[in-house]
Amino acid sequence: MDNLLAILSDGMYHSGEDLGKKLGISRAAVWKKIKKIKTLGVFLESKKGCGYRIVGGLDLLSKKQIYDNLTPNAKSLLTKLQTLTTTASTNTLARQYAEKFDASGWVILAEEQQEGRGRRGKSWVSPYGCNLYLSIVWGFSGGVKEIEGLSLAIGVSILRGLKICGAENIQLKWPNDLMYQKKKIGGILLEIVGDPSGYCQVIIGIGINVNMPEDFSKSINKPWTNANKLLNPEVGRNKLAGVLIDQLLLLLESYKKIGFLSYKNEWLAHDAFIGKRVELIMMNNTIDGIVQGVDNSGALILKVNGITKTFSGGEISLRECE
Ligand code: BTN
C-alpha cells in the first residue's frame, strides 16, 4: 500500500493499468490496495477514463527528508528513526521498545494513529497523512528527579522549532500545551519506563496539528487549529519533523546538566495564562486561582484566595475562567 500511496501522493490521475505496471501487480491487486487506501480516510477519487487520484495530493513522511533536516549534532544522538504508515500509538510502540531494549535516541513517527493517546486518559485524534505524531525515547540515569520540569522544557523546544519554521506567537499553556490564539496546536505526553529512582527511559510523545481537515472538529471537544497556516509556505511535514526532532534531541542530551532553569524565562515569556483567572482541574476537585507563573521545578504557581500555592504536573489541567 505504501508504494501505491507514494505514486498517488502527487495528486494526479493514474490509471489502474499504469499503477499495476509500476507496481508489478495485476489490476485486481491494485483495486484491492485502493480499497485499503480508502479506509485511511484519504480523499481518493476515481474517474472513468482517467483512473485514480488523491485530491490535493499528500505530503508523505520521508525518513530521508527528516534525517536531512537534522544538524550533525542531532544526527549523532539519533540511534533509530522509524516512519510507519499506521500504528495504534507511537507512544505505546515506543514504550514496548523501551521495555525490551535500551532504546535511548529512538524516534518513531506515524502517518496515522488508530488509538492516539492524550493526557489525562483522553484520546488524540490522529488521522492519516496530515499531522505529526512522533515519540522519542531517552534514557536518564538519575531517575525522575533528573527530569523535573522536562515536559515544560519540551514545550519551549517545540515552540522554538515552530518559530524556526515561521510560526510566530505560539504560546504555552501549563503544563505543556502549545496554543495559538487560545486554540490548541499541539500537545505532549510524557511516560516513564524503568526505575523511577535509577535508570529510566522517558517516552516523549508529541502531536502537532499541521493540516488536519475541518471535518475532525466534531471529534475534538476543544478549540484547535493547524500549524500550517503559520508556517513558511515551503515548510512541509518532513522539514517540520526534522527541525522538531533536532531541537528535542539537543534538549534531551543537555537536560541532565542544564535542567529547567535554563528554559524557565522563555517558558514564562510565552505563558498563555499569566495573570489570568483559571480553574485548575484535578482528579477529584477544582481550584480557582490567578496564575503567577511557574517555579524553578516547573510547578504552577497560583494565587488562591490571596494565598500563593504551587501545583505540580500529573493529572492536572488548566481552564481559563470566562
Ligand atoms: C495532550 O495534549 O493531551 C497530549 C497529546 C499527545 C499526542 C501524541 S501523538 C504522538 C504520541 N502518541 C500518542 O498516542 N500520543 C502522543
Side-chain angles (χ1 to χ4, degrees):
M1 181 169 71
D2 287 0
N3 295 344
L4 180 55
L5 278 163
I7 300 174
L8 291 170
S9 67
D10 64 5
M12 313 292 278
Y13 278 112
H14 297 267
S15 72
E17 197 180 333
D18 261 13
L19 291 170
K21 269 191 199 146
K22 280 189 183 142
L23 298 171
I25 56 175
S26 68
R27 285 185 69 169
V30 169
W31 171 234
K32 259 194 180 165
K33 286 180 190 287
I34 291 279
K35 272 208 321 213
K36 241 181 160 180
I37 288 179
K38 283 187 175 161
T39 65
L40 295 172
V42 169
F43 190 10
L44 193 95
E45 201 178 63
S46 55
K47 199 171 175 184
K48 245 196 170 147
C50 296
Y52 307 99
R53 71 163 177 164
I54 290 176
V55 181
L58 285 173
D59 169 28
L60 290 175
L61 294 175
S62 145
K63 220 154 89 162
K64 182 181 175 328
Q65 283 182 44
I66 295 171
Y67 188 77
D68 288 348
N69 276 296
L70 300 180
T71 54
N73 204 352
K75 281 182 184 161
S76 72
L77 300 168
L78 180 78
T79 51
K80 180 182 172 125
L81 178 61
Q82 190 176 24
T83 50
L84 302 165
T85 301
T86 187
T87 187
S89 147
T90 55
N91 256 40
T92 305
L93 189 60
R95 235 196 132 97
Q96 286 161 3
Y97 287 150
E99 275 157 5
K100 271 201 187 151
F101 313 102
D102 180 1
S104 193
W106 290 19
V107 178
I108 304 153
L109 297 102
E111 293 282 11
E112 175 203 49
Q113 296 186 118
Q114 288 151 18
E115 291 161 29
R117 295 187 283 115
R119 287 183 66 241
R120 305 172 70 233
K122 297 209 170 117
S123 58
W124 186 257
V125 175
S126 311
Y128 178 85
C130 51
N131 297 323
L132 280 185
Y133 320 115
L134 77 96
S135 297
I136 303 185
V137 185
W138 198 264
F140 285 91
S141 53
V144 288
K145 69 172 190 304
E146 223 168 78
I147 59 166
E148 200 172 65
L150 178 66
S151 74
L152 279 80
I154 289 169
V156 172
S157 294
I158 296 175
L159 189 141
R160 286 182 190 170
L162 286 166
K163 202 167 186 173
I164 292 171
C165 295
E168 300 282 344
N169 301 321
I170 303 284
Q171 288 188 305
L172 296 162
K173 177 185 157 197
W174 189 88
N176 51 20
D177 286 352
L178 288 125
M179 311 290 291
Y180 178 73
Q181 296 182 342
K182 299 193 177 183
K183 294 177 181 157
K184 187 152 165 171
I185 221 162
I188 300 161
L189 177 69
L190 234 67
E191 297 179 297
I192 294 168
V193 169
D195 179 359
S197 57
Y199 184 73
C200 59
Q201 294 180 74
V202 182
I203 320 292
I204 298 128
I206 291 153
I208 308 283
N209 301 327
V210 181
N211 193 16
M212 182 142 65
E214 272 305 317
D215 318 2
F216 289 93
S217 277
K218 42 185 183 301
S219 20
I220 307 175
N221 62 1
K222 284 201 179 135
W224 63 276
T225 192
N226 277 322
N228 79 335
K229 58 183 189 197
L230 308 170
L231 300 171
N232 294 330
E234 76 283 2
V235 175
R237 286 191 304 150
N238 291 305
K239 161 99 182 164
L240 180 62
V243 170
L244 294 181
I245 293 166
D246 202 84
Q247 292 291 322
L248 291 162
L249 288 173
L250 301 179
L251 155 82
L252 291 165
E253 204 253 335
S254 59
Y255 198 73
K256 182 180 171 168
K257 264 185 257 143
I258 64 175
F260 179 61
L261 216 50
S262 318
Y263 292 85
K264 184 182 164 191
N265 286 342
E266 202 172 338
W267 200 95
L268 288 171
H270 295 91
D271 185 349
F273 284 176
I274 194 108
K276 300 242 163 81
R277 176 168 289 281
V278 295
E279 265 185 349
L280 194 64
I281 305 147
M282 301 196 275
M283 289 278 258
N284 300 320
N285 66 331
T286 300
I287 293 177
D288 257 36
I290 296 172
V291 176
Q292 310 292 300
V294 294
D295 71 10
N296 290 349
S297 70
L300 177 76
I301 310 174
L302 265 194
K303 198 160 245 180
V304 183
N305 298 327
I307 300 165
T308 302
K309 295 189 174 175
T310 56
F311 299 88
S312 20
E315 298 296 294
I316 315 181
S317 101
L318 267 192
R319 184 165 60 202
E320 187 178 357
C321 295
E322 295 305 322

